[in-house]
Amino acid sequence: MQSQNSDPADQAGPYDRPGAQQPAEPGVPDNENAAPDQNAAAGAEDASDAGEPADASAQLALQLAERTADLQRLQAEYVNYKKRVDRDRDLSRRAGAERILADLMGVLDNIRSAREHEQMTDGFKLVAGEIEKVASRHGLEAFGEKGDPFDPRIHEALMQTQASGITEPTAAEVLQVGYKVGDRVLRPARVAVAQPAEDAPDQEA
């Protein structure tokens, strides 16, 4: 006779035993039966992987902009430096030339005086002509003529007189010519200045 008090474990189905794996639902992939926290972790990893290239591109663009700005700043500084060096070199060259020309002005005065007094011999005339050519090549110009309007910026008044027939102060006589290089006056012309004469008062008949 079969015993009616059988073991409940013997009556349980194959999937009712402890630790037995439950069958997957028909038509549903196994990964959908995964725990919700696993799915969330996988989604976070995917989002992180998708965001990394964008962050890297933005960082590269920022670095490129910074390097470009640095190069532009360096280029501007170099251009300004080159201009400053060229300007200083030009000023130094002009200052050196002006010092030499200033030393020649006395020699040129003697040449001019000898020419005015017809004391130029043939040999001296050739040498004088070469000196004047050298001075001219370096931009030295003589100025100051009788009858020029008096300009205190380029003239130095050594004498004053009055003269009729003029309406403004005028160089009545040039005592020593001036010299300039371009617009820069190395020595003003020394002149005697004639002032317009005041009209004589009318005499009563």
Side-chain angles (χ1 to χ4, degrees):
M1 182 175 178
Q2 186 177 1
S3 174
Q4 295 180 355
N5 295 327
S6 60
D7 189 353
D10 295 337
Q11 296 178 0
Y15 299 105
D16 294 334
R17 294 189 180 92
Q21 184 177 1
Q22 299 295 324
E25 296 181 6
V28 179
D30 293 340
N31 58 357
E32 291 189 3
N33 293 324
D37 55 347
Q38 294 179 352
N39 293 334
E45 291 179 358
D46 293 340
S48 176
D49 293 341
E52 286 180 358
D55 293 342
S57 299
Q59 187 175 5
L60 288 175
L62 179 60
Q63 292 178 353
L64 178 61
E66 291 176 351
R67 298 300 179 270
T68 302
D70 292 341
L71 290 175
Q72 291 175 345
R73 182 170 58 254
L74 289 175
Q75 184 178 10
E77 291 177 356
Y78 173 74
V79 171
N80 293 333
Y81 168 77
K82 189 175 185 301
K83 289 181 180 179
R84 185 168 60 253
V85 169
D86 292 342
R87 183 178 63 251
D88 293 344
R89 184 184 297 114
D90 184 61
L91 291 175
S92 178
R93 182 172 58 251
R94 288 175 54 186
E98 288 176 0
R99 284 194 296 269
I100 295 174
L101 294 175
D103 292 337
L104 283 178
M105 287 190 297
V107 178
L108 295 173
D109 288 337
N110 293 332
I111 293 174
R112 180 181 293 271
S113 177
R115 184 178 289 113
E116 290 176 352
H117 293 85
E118 298 181 355
Q119 296 176 350
M120 301 281 286
T121 61
D122 291 339
F124 180 59
K125 186 181 297 184
L126 292 175
V127 174
E130 290 299 321
I131 294 174
E132 290 174 333
K133 287 180 182 179
V134 170
S136 179
R137 279 200 302 268
H138 285 82
L140 186 66
E141 299 179 42
F143 67 91
E145 297 289 342
K146 181 178 180 179
D148 288 344
F150 177 75
D151 186 348
R153 295 172 299 179
I154 61 174
H155 294 139
E156 180 181 353
L158 299 182
M159 299 171 56
Q160 288 195 18
T161 60
Q162 287 189 343
S164 59
I166 58 176
T167 59
E168 61 181 350
T170 304
E173 184 180 357
V174 178
L175 306 176
Q176 189 179 47
V177 297
Y179 290 100
K180 64 180 180 178
V181 176
D183 295 332
R184 180 175 173 79
V185 176
L186 300 184
R187 188 182 76 185
R190 296 181 171 95
V191 299
V193 180
Q195 299 286 351
E198 297 180 359
D199 295 336
D202 295 337
Q203 296 181 354
E204 295 181 358

